[in-house]
Amino acid sequence: MTGTGPGVDAGTTPGTGPGDDAGTDPVTPGAGDPAKWRRLSRRMLVIHPFQELVRSAPALIGLLVAGSTQDDGGHLWSLAALGVMLVLGTLRWFTTTYRVTPQYVQVRKGLLRRKVLTAPRDRIRTVDVTSNVLHRVLGLARVEIGTGRSDRKDGGALKLDALHATEVERLRDELLHRRPAASGTITSGASTAPATGRAVPSGTDARESFPASETELAALRPAWIRFGPFTLSGLVTVGVLAGFVSRIAGEGNVDLLSIGPVRQVADWFGRGALWLQIAGSVAVLAVFVAIASTLGYVLAFWRFRLTRTAGGTLHVTRGLITTRATTLEERRLRGVELSEPLLLRAASGARVIAVATGLRVGRGAQRGGSMLLPPAPRAEAQAVAARVLGTAGPLTAELTPHGPAALRRRFTRALAFCGGVTAALLALWYWAGLPAWAWQAALALTVVALPIAADRYKSLGHTVAEGHLVTRWGSIVRRHVALKHEGIIGWNLRRSFFQRRAGLATLTATTAAGRQGYGVWDVDLAEALRLADQGIPGLLTPFLVSGAEGR
């Protein structure tokens, strides 16, 4: 994704000013002049102001509350702020244009600071389509075009918010399958199908109008909802709600403890013993998190469906209120990952994540678009991963366990850290008067660390099966990865001081996909070299020979 430099002014392109094609719904890419700048759907004049109001809601509510305690002038400031938000939302539509050429997809936006975002079409990896309630009512969809940088904080993805739903389907098919778009114009009334010539009514889903040959790989079953509480995604929801309430209270200068019910609950907790306060708080939090996690699961994954199209793509659709569709080219797929967070693993559940170029998981698999299956029974996750890979061998192959040295290393690290912290806190309690609960908590943490260390060792394993490097590691989140040898671009062999003394090494397969590197942890050095040679024969030989000559 690139932006224009100082010498390129998005507003000076001859004959393609922002006024061109104003007020019309977008047309099919390739129709007419492909270099013409086009506007987003006019219906966004309704959505953009609403989005600005929602984004500024805490500040507006704070102004309204503060104004109600003052004279009439406070309400005027509230109305003025509301008007500013509406104007800013409207200006977003007037200052945003886009175009699709045979080489690029470009978006031009900004009022005071104009910029052009450019995505070369041969670098496009994914196309995400999302529609919230307002988008769906108005027949619109938001498009996010990923080029492999969509997980970066600088907003690397190119976004079109929003286009007509029928246009979005055509655009996604053209960008991912590299096919020229059909001639014809998408209007607010009807469109003509290039292959059949039949009319498509406004608001009709394009997947129904232009059916593709699809093979269903997975679909949500209501019984899977039971895994919702074990995802702990509700912690984020509780945190967001707490932050929202706190911000509103701060903006409006409201003391929450002055509210009757809140004060009564605080007084009731204050009268109890400390252990009772802690236990009650944990219980209440657990109930809220479980409920929020279950609701979040339903909202995010209802109507989930994973399909394989005849064009060589994997297509994921999901969502109850806000729908999302992600399309991934299979030629970008380098493997799959079975992800098992601790609580989900205790419930015999797992998720499936794609290891694909252009789809990093730095923002999380769900947000980054790499999740191929939501939390589901582990047997189902394994079956879906096998369907995606086209073979079950790498996922069912018996893993080679790591030796006793790796087991000792797990316990040594756990005891050294937790035991050291406990000893330090105990010394501070004895000589400096530190509260006793500090070293007691550290001691309890040491006891908990021992079974975690044993589980970390039990999770370790590796093998080579059917052209895949298979590795497994982790306890809090156990990951089981099958990585194609053709997706490995190099090896990183790392040995710390303690690993050298134990005869161990960590072998990391570097790749352009997924997490950019997948490790075989604390494995015997000879076994690490054997794995590397099986994956890319002869790659490490010059280095090993040079090392032998140096000795």
Side-chain angles (χ1 to χ4, degrees):
M1 193 73 62
T2 58
T4 56
V8 181
D9 184 0
T12 59
T13 306
T16 59
D20 294 346
D21 198 29
T24 64
D25 281 324
V27 303
T28 304
D33 181 8
K36 176 178 286 188
W37 291 93
R38 309 185 186 282
R39 295 195 186 279
L40 305 174
S41 173
R42 288 177 298 179
R43 301 172 189 178
M44 290 305 296
L45 287 170
V46 177
I47 296 181
H48 278 157
F50 180 78
Q51 290 175 335
E52 292 294 337
L53 288 178
V54 171
R55 189 177 295 114
S56 306
L60 292 176
I61 294 175
L63 284 174
L64 184 62
V65 173
S68 63
T69 61
Q70 300 175 5
D71 55 14
D72 294 339
H75 293 290
L76 294 178
W77 284 110
S78 301
L79 293 176
L82 179 63
V84 169
M85 294 300 103
L86 294 175
V87 171
L88 290 177
T90 303
L91 287 177
R92 285 181 58 190
W93 183 83
F94 284 102
T95 58
T96 303
T97 54
Y98 78 100
R99 66 178 178 179
V100 180
T101 72
Q103 293 81 28
Y104 301 101
V105 179
Q106 294 180 306
V107 174
R108 181 171 58 187
K109 61 182 180 178
L111 177 61
L112 300 178
R113 182 183 177 186
R114 298 287 286 170
K115 62 179 179 179
V116 173
L117 298 178
T118 301
R121 291 184 58 173
D122 60 356
R123 297 288 297 170
I124 293 175
R125 301 294 183 262
T126 60
V127 177
D128 281 4
V129 180
T130 56
S131 299
N132 58 31
V133 175
L134 279 178
H135 284 87
R136 291 165 66 183
V137 168
L138 297 176
L140 303 176
R142 178 176 179 268
V143 182
E144 184 170 333
I145 301 171
T147 60
R149 302 178 59 198
S150 58
D151 66 329
R152 297 189 178 183
K153 294 182 179 180
D154 59 356
L158 190 150
K159 302 174 183 177
L160 298 173
D161 187 11
L163 304 178
H164 195 275
T166 52
E167 166 63 10
V168 167
E169 296 294 334
R170 294 176 180 272
L171 178 63
R172 178 174 59 190
D173 185 70
E174 179 196 354
L175 294 179
L176 286 179
H177 296 153
R178 309 292 192 266
R179 290 197 293 265
S183 60
T185 302
I186 300 293
T187 65
S188 58
S191 62
T192 302
T196 63
R198 59 190 174 92
V200 180
S202 174
T204 301
D205 190 275
R207 287 169 292 181
E208 300 174 0
S209 306
F210 305 100
S213 177
E214 289 186 340
T215 302
E216 184 175 273
L217 303 182
L220 180 71
R221 300 174 188 172
W224 296 357
I225 298 175
R226 72 179 187 272
F227 294 102
F230 299 98
T231 62
L232 294 184
S233 60
L235 279 174
V236 178
T237 304
V238 172
V240 171
L241 288 176
F244 183 76
V245 172
S246 176
R247 183 176 177 184
I248 290 179
E251 295 285 350
N253 196 24
V254 176
D255 183 9
L256 294 177
L257 292 178
S258 64
I259 301 176
V262 177
R263 185 177 62 254
Q264 292 175 5
V265 172
D267 292 341
W268 181 82
F269 266 97
R271 289 194 297 267
L274 178 61
W275 68 269
L276 185 60
Q277 296 177 23
I278 296 176
S281 300
V282 171
V284 171
L285 180 62
V287 171
F288 273 104
V289 168
I291 295 174
S293 298
T294 303
L295 290 177
Y297 188 99
V298 173
L299 292 174
F301 300 117
W302 191 252
R303 293 183 297 186
F304 171 88
R305 191 166 178 259
L306 170 66
T307 59
R308 173 182 281 124
T309 67
T313 59
L314 296 174
H315 189 53
V316 177
T317 56
R318 59 182 176 86
L320 179 61
I321 296 177
T322 297
T323 60
R324 179 172 184 178
T326 302
T327 304
L328 167 68
E329 290 181 299
E330 286 196 271
R331 66 190 182 95
R332 309 285 183 187
L333 194 68
R334 298 295 180 264
V336 294
E337 173 187 321
L338 289 179
S339 175
E340 303 171 86
L342 186 59
L343 288 180
L344 187 60
R345 178 153 51 103
S348 300
R351 303 174 297 186
V352 180
I353 298 173
V355 179
T357 58
L359 268 184
R360 296 186 186 178
V361 291
R363 298 188 304 166
Q366 182 176 327
R367 291 179 293 164
S370 59
M371 183 175 291
L372 298 180
L373 187 73
R378 193 181 190 283
E380 180 67 20
Q382 196 170 35
V384 170
R387 295 182 201 126
V388 171
L389 283 180
T391 176
L395 297 167
T396 57
E398 184 178 355
L399 300 182
T400 301
H402 296 194
L407 176 61
R408 291 194 298 271
R409 182 167 163 79
R410 291 294 173 276
F411 278 99
T412 300
R413 295 176 69 180
L415 290 175
F417 176 77
C418 296
V421 171
T422 302
L425 294 176
L426 184 61
L428 290 175
W429 166 75
Y430 185 80
W431 282 294
L434 191 72
W437 63 263
W439 69 265
Q440 293 170 357
L443 182 60
L445 183 63
T446 304
V447 175
V448 173
L450 295 179
I452 292 179
D455 186 62
R456 290 182 63 205
Y457 171 74
K458 185 179 178 181
S459 296
L460 291 176
H462 68 274
T463 191
V464 173
E466 300 183 14
H468 293 74
L469 170 68
V470 184
T471 178
R472 189 180 66 189
W473 75 96
S475 178
I476 304 301
V477 179
R478 187 168 73 180
R479 308 185 188 279
H480 190 167
V481 177
L483 180 65
K484 297 179 181 178
H485 283 164
E486 63 190 53
I488 300 174
I489 59 178
W491 298 101
N492 184 355
L493 189 64
R494 185 176 70 253
R495 305 184 73 195
S496 68
F497 171 77
F498 297 103
Q499 283 179 313
R500 290 197 301 271
R501 290 179 59 88
L504 301 176
T506 295
L507 179 70
T508 301
T510 58
T511 177
R515 301 179 186 278
Q516 315 297 292
Y518 295 90
V520 182
W521 295 83
D522 288 336
V523 68
D524 184 77
L525 178 60
E527 177 67 6
L529 297 177
R530 185 188 70 81
L531 288 173
D533 192 62
Q534 278 190 280
I536 308 179
L539 180 63
L540 293 182
T541 301
F543 301 97
L544 298 176
V545 172
S546 299
E549 291 176 351
R551 291 193 296 270

